[in-house]
């Protein structure tokens, strides 16, 4: 090894799905935790998740082998989308590297529409092998960690024979919970909303340029379009909605977020004669056409009760929309962390979430409902109280203490310790 390799340890960061919460975490590591020049990023665009989970190790191995010609990596940090066991087998140069894997979700309990016998076994199996190959396994919530560790044996029951038992205990011994940082949002002024500037904000443009260059070296030009779309000018909502309760849905347009229950609650609200509300429907669909509930709801609801409908690619417009809304709702069948709900709460929304999944460890009890009927009653009460009631509940509730523990500065030492 040359002198630079022996004196300058590097963190190898691998993200096969560089988008959403995955991208936010990588940007936090490269922008807040690791000094410039002390990390090397191998990333792939946030497209075709299923193929990333199956095959990304092969592409990443080529990139790592090339980088390892003049770099020596002290740590490897990746998300569980990557099949880490495959990568380690393909890259002997990583044998002595400390390997950290972050679980944004886990495939052992990820809900599917098909019967359990038709679940794609490979995704969960790869994640089990990834956890076994790692030196440290990180989870974004206790719910995520518990469902993974406790679900390994039952998941492996799908094997016809030679089932290995007791893997959960070994993985648990090297596991810990490390929440995803939530960037606080400044107040809305003159239609512009800016995230609070970090201590290295002056370096941010250079870091983004470096990361985009790293990705560009690995992707075809058409793949880069998804990462480099210019921002668009998007009006938040007509002023006629100002006095109505704005109800926000900021989730993926997929079945596991249970949009059927959400729109059923909205229809029940409208059928009861309540009109003092409008909807802001954000989010996007990654896996084919969205559930039919979205098209049906848009046709059924009056246009004057739809403040916004569709994906906001411009991050600034998205954050501004969160700040304009009063109530954010989840009806999810699965949620391993709830980034969209937490961002909306940070922006000033009052959250309503089911009393299950990761929500009880993140939100106050009075924001949680047990049944869809309870959700409708809470929404009706909020509609009658109007935006003022929602804002007052958000201001008076036990939110700030909970959000403070998720701030980037509150988590900085825990993340920095990973690479010590």
């Amino acid at each position: 090894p040359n002198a630079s390799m022996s004196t300058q340890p590097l963190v190898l960061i691998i993200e096969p799905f560089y988008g959403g919460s995955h991208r936010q975490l990588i940007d936090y590591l490269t922008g807040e935790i690791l000094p410039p020049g002390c990390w090397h990023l191998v990333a792939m665009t946030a497209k075709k998740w299923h193929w990333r989970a199956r095959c990304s190790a092969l592409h990443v191995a080529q990139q790592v082998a090339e980088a390892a010609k003049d770099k020596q990596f002290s740590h490897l940090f990746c998300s569980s989308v990557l099949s880490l066991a495959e990568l380690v087998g393909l890259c002997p140069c990583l044998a002595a590297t400390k390997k950290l894997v972050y679980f944004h979700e886990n495939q052992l309990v990820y809900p599917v529409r098909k019967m359990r016998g038709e679940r794609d076994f490979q995704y969960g199996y790869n994640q089990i092998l990834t956890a076994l190959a790692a030196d440290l396994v990180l989870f974004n919530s206790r719910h995520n960690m518990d469902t993974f560790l406790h679900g390994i044996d039952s998941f492996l029951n799908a094997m016809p024979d030679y089932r290995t038992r007791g893997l959960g205990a070994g993985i648990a011994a090297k596991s810990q919970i490390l929440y995803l940082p939530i960037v606080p949002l400044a107040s809305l002024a003159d239609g512009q909303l800016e995230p609070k500037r970090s201590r290295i904000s002056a370096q941010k443009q250079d870091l983004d340029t470096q990361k985009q260059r790293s990705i560009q070296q690995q992707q075809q030009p058409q793949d880069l379009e998804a990462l480099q779309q210019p921002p668009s000018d998007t009006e938040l909502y007509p002023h006629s909605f100002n006095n109505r309760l704005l109800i926000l849905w900021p989730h993926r347009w997929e079945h596991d977020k249970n949009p059927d229950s959400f729109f059923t609650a909205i229809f029940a609200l409208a059928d009861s004669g309540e009109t003092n509300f409008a909807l802001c429907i954000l989010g996007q669909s990654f896996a084919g056409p969205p559930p039919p509930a979205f098209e049906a709801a848009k046709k059924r609801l009056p246009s004057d009760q739809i403040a916004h409908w569709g994906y906001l690619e411009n991050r600034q417009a998205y954050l501004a929309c969160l700040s304009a809304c009063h109530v954010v709702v989840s009806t999810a069948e699965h949620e391993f962390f709830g980034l969209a709900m937490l961002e909306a709460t940070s922006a000033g929304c009052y959250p309503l979430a089911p009393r299950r999944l990761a929500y009880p460890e993140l939100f106050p009890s009075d924001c949680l409902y047990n049944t869809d009927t309870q959700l409708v009653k809470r929404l009706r009460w909020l509609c009658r109280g109007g935006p003022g009631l929602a804002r007052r509940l958000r201001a008076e509730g036990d939110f700030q203490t909970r959000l403070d523990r998720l701030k980037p500065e509150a988590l900085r030492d825990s993340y920095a310790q990973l690479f010590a």
Side-chain angles (χ1 to χ4, degrees):
N2 59 34
S4 63
M5 291 174 63
S6 60
T7 60
Q8 183 63 70
L10 292 172
V11 176
L12 172 62
I13 302 176
I14 299 173
E15 182 47 72
F17 197 81
Y18 186 57
S21 60
H22 294 234
R23 178 170 183 165
Q24 286 185 231
L25 179 57
I26 299 307
D27 289 351
Y28 175 65
L29 293 178
T30 56
E32 294 281 351
I33 304 301
L34 299 170
C38 290
W39 51 269
H40 178 86
L41 174 66
V42 177
M44 302 171 73
T45 51
K47 299 167 61 177
K48 306 182 188 305
W49 179 90
H50 297 86
W51 285 105
R52 298 291 190 258
R54 289 181 184 277
C55 306
S56 59
L58 185 60
H59 169 79
V60 169
Q62 294 178 321
Q63 304 299 316
V64 172
E66 183 65 26
K69 291 179 180 178
D70 60 1
K71 295 179 176 68
Q72 180 175 312
F73 300 112
S74 59
H75 296 73
L76 183 159
F77 184 97
C78 67
S79 74
S80 60
V81 175
L82 176 72
S83 179
L84 181 59
E86 289 184 1
L87 178 66
V88 172
L90 292 168
C91 294
C93 62
L94 298 177
T97 302
K98 184 176 181 180
K99 304 165 189 68
L100 297 74
V101 61
Y102 194 92
F103 276 70
H104 292 267
E105 44 75 31
N106 81 75
Q107 291 295 315
L108 305 193
V109 296
Y110 203 98
V112 293
R113 290 188 180 185
K114 300 177 181 179
M115 298 296 292
R116 194 209 180 286
E118 298 183 48
R119 176 188 290 273
D120 193 319
F121 182 81
Q122 197 65 38
Y123 299 133
Y125 182 67
N126 282 355
Q127 288 193 329
I128 294 172
L129 294 183
T130 290
L132 291 171
D135 297 299
L136 182 62
V137 185
L138 306 165
F139 294 90
N140 60 355
S141 69
R142 179 166 295 281
H143 168 71
N144 193 7
M145 183 175 74
D146 288 347
T147 54
F148 183 79
L149 296 177
H150 298 158
I152 292 175
D153 282 351
S154 60
F155 181 84
L156 293 179
N157 282 340
M159 299 170 62
D161 54 11
Y162 294 102
R163 304 180 186 97
T164 303
R165 297 300 186 193
L167 296 177
I171 296 173
K174 56 181 179 179
S175 295
Q176 69 181 64
I177 301 165
L178 191 54
Y179 290 128
L180 191 72
I182 304 297
V183 178
L185 305 180
S187 60
L188 186 65
D190 300 325
Q192 296 296 322
L193 187 70
E194 295 286 348
K196 290 183 179 179
R197 297 175 66 83
S198 72
R199 63 183 175 88
I200 54 106
S201 58
Q203 303 168 358
K204 187 66 170 66
Q205 184 174 357
D206 291 340
L207 293 176
D208 284 343
T209 301
Q210 182 179 348
K211 283 183 286 187
Q212 291 296 339
R213 187 181 300 117
S214 174
I215 297 171
Q216 187 170 7
Q217 293 171 352
Q218 304 158 36
Q219 302 296 328
Q220 296 300 318
Q222 61 267 27
D223 292 332
L224 282 172
E225 295 178 3
L227 293 179
Q228 298 176 336
Q229 291 292 333
S232 58
D233 294 326
T234 305
E235 185 178 1
L236 284 181
Y237 58 92
H239 293 293
S240 60
F241 291 112
N242 282 353
N243 295 322
R244 295 190 187 185
L245 186 78
L246 288 179
I247 301 173
L248 172 66
W249 168 277
H251 313 284
R252 284 183 291 104
W253 291 22
E254 295 177 16
H255 72 279
D256 57 283
K257 298 303 181 182
N258 195 13
D260 289 27
S261 287
F262 172 74
F263 287 118
T264 297
I266 295 300
F267 296 154
L269 196 63
D271 292 344
S272 71
E274 185 58 66
T275 60
N276 189 36
F277 73 90
L279 302 183
C280 285
I281 307 298
L282 301 179
Q284 65 184 133
S285 179
F286 287 97
F294 288 94
E295 182 178 358
K298 191 173 184 181
K299 290 180 178 179
R300 177 170 172 176
L301 293 169
S303 60
D304 66 351
Q305 286 189 306
I306 299 177
H308 179 84
W309 194 280
Y311 177 58
L312 280 174
E313 185 173 359
N314 184 342
R315 177 69 173 171
Q316 295 300 97
Y318 173 80
L319 296 177
C321 191
L322 299 190
S323 286
C325 292
H326 309 115
V327 178
V328 59
V329 178
S330 172
T331 51
E333 293 293 344
H334 106 273
E335 192 66 83
F336 294 107
F337 182 65
L339 176 61
M341 290 290 289
L342 288 163
E343 283 188 333
T345 304
S346 175
C349 290
Y350 181 74
L352 288 176
R355 196 182 302 274
R356 59 176 181 258
L357 311 171
Y359 293 126
E361 65 183 284
L362 296 170
F363 292 108
S365 180
D366 58 3
C367 298
L368 307 177
Y369 62 86
N370 295 313
T371 66
D372 290 350
T373 300
Q374 287 184 356
L375 172 61
V376 175
K377 290 181 178 178
R378 294 298 297 276
L379 286 172
R380 185 180 298 116
W381 176 59
L382 287 164
C383 284
R384 291 172 181 174
L389 175 59
R391 292 300 194 204
R392 179 171 63 81
L393 292 171
R394 169 60 183 81
E396 295 176 354
D398 178 26
F399 294 99
Q400 202 54 53
T401 300
R402 293 170 179 266
L403 292 171
D404 284 348
R405 65 177 178 167
L406 303 178
K407 287 182 178 179
E409 57 267 30
L411 292 168
R412 184 174 294 127
D413 288 347
S414 296
Y415 274 96
Q417 188 62 35
L418 300 177
F419 309 104

